[in-house]
């Protein structure tokens, strides 16, 4: 089994407590950073490691830190508003090893000369929020957070903030609006958060998994971390495997591991439920494009998945076997985006409702052949024309599924039922 980095100690009893976490090297990276490195040197270390954001975009982490404007005060927002369908890794990290995240937050704050950091946790993740809050309290009591940390002269306050369960608050500017006490609407960019962010100050925003990786990099070095993964996609990644697999769950693998290994290897997914044929895979959460079964040997890294026609996204790998009705699955995903649209811009607010209406009509046997091209036309008027990426996310499964499985949409229109699955039935002509 490949070497684990951020999930290595997850199953150690009591690792969520400070005393046990310290027994396994906890806060050694922080002590080393404060003793041996200037803040700018930590930024360069992370740049050299090749760590890229684990929240979806995959932007180089050290480079993002380097973009921060020089004025103060600066802020850090740790984005733990994990809301993407098919993604459940951050919840696991917060619940099982919250001190790893807290140490990453402190190290990042030190590197970016931040004096106030926020950990924004999705509202529904109540237990995870309690775990993180307890870890923060223990870190305060031990002198890892607060005034003059470990006698270094560096001071930091960390605030755990629970959201109210809005998918849109996973978008960085809507997250800042929420933190400031307003409705979670996305902001117009530019200016970008690195220049004008939370409370008008320079702000760095990183995902929970990203910051949980920082302590290992500081403790073991950039070259050690860069030895994992591929040339352009360094390190390991937690993949959230769900859907029609025998062993769904979170698996940490080096970037570049073939999708086939994740799905079929007995250490991981163990194969398709009922030993049926693979039909399709969503590689990065429901906001990314669907891939056909012919892409099962695609390496799971940012560049290879993009070349295959999708995105690595948040790492949520959703598997669908041969009995999956694609129209039904896409309808379910589109309903989510309709319900989670914040309503700020017209293309997303109106377009997502229209998409659901058309998909419902097709799924329930009342569609027309022209509805299929109408779906594509609406998607074209949403994607790239909405205020934030939620509009793009709502269209990904529709456009890719019509490209790959148009015959299923046409079958729904022609026969009034599903082509495969429990709701399928033989065509009327064949029945005679």
């Amino acid at each position: 089994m490949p070497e684990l980095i951020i999930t290595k100690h997850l199953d150690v009893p009591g690792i969520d407590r400070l005393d046990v976490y310290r027994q396994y090297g906890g806060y050694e990276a922080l002590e080393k950073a404060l003793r041996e490195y200037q803040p700018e040197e930590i930024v360069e270390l992370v740049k050299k490691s090749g760590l890229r954001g684990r929240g979806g975009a995959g932007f180089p982490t050290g480079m993002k830190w380097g973009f921060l404007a020089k004025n103060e005060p600066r802020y850090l927002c740790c984005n733990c508003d994990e809301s993407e369908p098919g993604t459940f890794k951050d919840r696991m990290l917060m619940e099982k090893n919250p001190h790893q995240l807290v140490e990453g937050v402190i190290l990042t704050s030190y590197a970016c000369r931040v004096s106030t950091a926020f950990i924004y946790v999705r509202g529904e993740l109540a237990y995870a929020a309690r775990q993180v809050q307890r870890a923060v309290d223990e870190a305060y009591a031990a002198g890892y957070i607060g005034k003059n940390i470990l006698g270094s002269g560096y001071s930091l306050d960390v605030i755990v903030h629970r959201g109210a369960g809005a998918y849109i608050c996973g978008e960085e500017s809507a997250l800042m609006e929420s933190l400031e006490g307003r409705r979670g609407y996305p902001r117009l960019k530019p200016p970008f958060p690195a220049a004008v962010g939370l409370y008008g100050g320079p702000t760095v925003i990183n995902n929970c998994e990203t910051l949980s990786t920082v302590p290992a990099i500081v403790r073991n070095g950039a070259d050690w971390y860069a030895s994992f993964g591929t040339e352009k996609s360094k390190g390991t990644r937690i993949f959230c495997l769900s859907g029609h697999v025998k062993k769904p769950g979170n698996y940490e693998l080096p970037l570049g591991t073939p999708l086939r290994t994740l799905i079929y290897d007995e250490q991981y997914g163990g194969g398709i439920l009922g030993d049926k044929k693979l039909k399709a895979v969503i590689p990065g959460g429901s906001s990314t494009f669907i891939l056909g079964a012919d892409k099962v040997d695609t390496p799971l890294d940012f560049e290879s998945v993009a070349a295959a026609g999708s995105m690595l996204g948040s790492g949520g790998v959703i598997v669908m076997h041969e009995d999956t009705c694609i129209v039904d699955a896409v309808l379910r995903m589109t309903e989510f985006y309709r319900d989670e649209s914040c309503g700020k811009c017209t293309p997303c607010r109106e377009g997502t409702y229209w998409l659901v209406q058309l998909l419902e009509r097709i799924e329930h046997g009342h569609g027309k052949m022209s509805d299929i091209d109408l779906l594509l036309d609406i998607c074209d008027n949403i994607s790239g024309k909405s205020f934030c990426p939620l509009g793009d996310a709502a269209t990904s499964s529709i456009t890719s599924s019509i490209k790959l499985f148009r015959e299923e949409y046409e079958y729904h229109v022609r026969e009034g039922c599903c082509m495969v699955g429990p709701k399928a039935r033989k065509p009327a002509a064949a029945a005679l």
Side-chain angles (χ1 to χ4, degrees), residues 13 25 29 58 80 88 116 124-125 131 171 222 243 259 269 287 302 304 321 325 329 363 381 392 422:
C80 300
F88 39 88
T116 306
E124 288 91 340
L125 306 183
Q131 287 287 84
E171 194 277 331
L259 180 57
S287 64
F302 293 100
S304 298
H321 64 39
C325 173
E363 169 64 18
N381 281 283
D392 295 6

Side-chain angles (χ1 to χ4, degrees), residues 395-413:
T395 67
S396 298
S397 63
I398 297 173
T399 56
S400 57
S401 65
I402 293 176
K403 178 182 177 181
L404 294 171
F405 303 103
R406 189 181 183 106
E407 70 277 8
E408 286 200 31
Y409 285 85
E410 293 175 349
Y411 189 96
H412 267 276
V413 173

Side-chain angles (χ1 to χ4, degrees), residues 188-228:
L188 184 64
K189 301 173 188 176
F192 293 96
V196 181
L198 190 65
Y199 305 119
T203 304
V204 61
I205 304 175
N206 282 122
N207 164 265
C208 171
E209 183 186 354
T210 309
L211 297 189
S212 293
T213 309
V214 174
I217 293 173
V218 175
R219 187 166 56 247
N220 298 297
D223 292 338
W224 168 83
Y225 186 77
S227 68
F228 299 90

Side-chain angles (χ1 to χ4, degrees), residues 244 276-277 279 320-326 420-423:
H244 298 140
K276 295 186 177 181
K277 291 182 181 178
K279 181 172 187 174
M320 293 178 274
H321 64 39
E322 58 188 321
D323 290 339
T324 303
C325 173
I326 290 294
V420 296
K423 291 185 284 186

Side-chain angles (χ1 to χ4, degrees), residues 139-180:
Y140 264 111
Y144 296 127
I145 307 175
K147 301 293 184 184
N148 191 24
I149 298 173
L150 301 178
S152 65
Y154 173 63
S155 300
L156 173 70
D157 282 315
V158 177
I159 299 164
V160 179
H161 181 95
R162 284 182 64 184
Y167 175 74
I168 190 62
C169 289
E171 194 277 331
E172 59 183 18
S173 63
L175 183 151
M176 293 187 294
E177 287 287 294
S178 175
L179 274 174
E180 292 177 8

Side-chain angles (χ1 to χ4, degrees), residues 288-415:
T288 60
F289 297 100
I290 299 172
L291 297 178
D294 60 320
K295 304 294 185 182
V296 72
D297 290 309
T298 301
L300 288 167
D301 60 71
F302 293 100
E303 290 73 31
S304 298
V305 175
S310 190
M311 296 177 289
L312 201 56
S314 58
V317 179
I318 304 170
V319 177
M320 293 178 274
H321 64 39
E322 58 188 321
D323 290 339
T324 303
C325 173
I326 290 294
V327 179
D328 192 24
V330 169
L331 169 60
R332 186 73 185 93
M333 287 183 273
T334 309
E335 286 175 334
F336 170 83
Y337 292 104
R338 175 201 62 188
D339 294 344
E340 292 294 342
S341 174
C342 74
K344 181 168 185 172
C345 69
T346 303
C348 182
R349 181 185 65 243
E350 303 299 328
T352 51
Y353 269 84
W354 198 359
L355 290 173
V356 169
Q357 287 176 347
L358 285 170
L359 286 166
E360 283 182 336
R361 197 158 78 192
I362 294 171
E363 169 64 18
H364 296 120
H366 306 298
K368 299 177 288 186
M369 285 296 178
S370 60
D371 288 342
I372 302 172
D373 288 324
L374 182 56
L375 280 170
L376 293 174
D377 186 52
I378 297 169
C379 287
D380 183 60
N381 281 283
I382 296 174
S383 181
K385 302 173 182 68
S386 299
F387 202 87
C388 82
L390 192 151
D392 295 6
T395 67
S396 298
S397 63
I398 297 173
T399 56
S400 57
S401 65
I402 293 176
K403 178 182 177 181
L404 294 171
F405 303 103
R406 189 181 183 106
E407 70 277 8
E408 286 200 31
Y409 285 85
E410 293 175 349
Y411 189 96
H412 267 276
V413 173
R414 190 172 60 250
E415 305 296 338

